[in-house]
Amino acid sequence: AMSKSAVKISSDLLSNPLCEQEPGFLEMVTAFDTAMKRMDSFNQEKVRTALAVDGFSSVFPSLNMAVKRREQTLQDYKRLQSKVEKYEEKERTGPVLAKLHQ
């Protein structure tokens, strides 16, 4: 997505009226546009290669485990956050404050 955005920016710069008025600017923007298109095609080729090798999980096995750990931690956090909110809504008594602190 980042390289696609860079290609769009370079295309927008090429359509700028200043390019018609300033030949130096046109040359610079054309070089930038060419570089961004090359970068985009390189990135797309890398993505296709990685997906062709049985997806990213086979290329980056630790990434898949990290995503699973993050999802589990996020679920735990949401569960505990709802408990905290529940205790914060209750009357502030000794047992409630102890559970809230815990």
Side-chain angles (χ1 to χ4, degrees):
M2 182 182 75
S3 61
K4 293 269 186 218
S5 297
V7 169
K8 171 118 176 62
I9 290 169
S10 66
S11 297
D12 290 348
L13 283 172
L14 277 174
S15 65
N16 190 319
L18 189 58
C19 285
E20 296 172 10
Q21 299 168 359
E22 294 289 331
F25 185 65
L26 175 61
E27 183 180 330
M28 185 175 52
V29 170
T30 304
F32 177 68
D33 184 56
T34 303
M36 292 303 103
K37 286 179 180 173
R38 285 181 182 167
M39 181 185 70
D40 184 50
S41 67
F42 177 78
N43 288 342
Q44 293 303 318
E45 181 61 32
K46 288 297 177 190
V47 167
R48 279 192 293 275
T49 301
L51 291 175
V53 185
D54 193 29
F56 283 111
S57 61
S58 66
V59 178
F60 305 107
S62 62
L63 179 65
N64 194 25
M65 290 301 297
V67 168
K68 286 181 181 178
R69 280 194 313 268
R70 183 195 179 280
E71 288 299 319
Q72 181 62 44
T73 304
L74 183 61
Q75 288 176 2
D76 292 345
Y77 173 79
K78 287 180 178 180
R79 180 178 50 80
L80 293 171
Q81 183 64 30
S82 67
K83 276 186 168 182
V84 167
E85 290 170 359
K86 182 180 80 172
Y87 286 127
E88 285 176 344
E89 292 173 0
K90 289 187 174 187
E91 184 179 333
R92 297 224 177 244
T93 61
V96 171
L97 288 175
K99 288 181 181 178
L100 183 60
H101 178 72
Q102 183 183 15

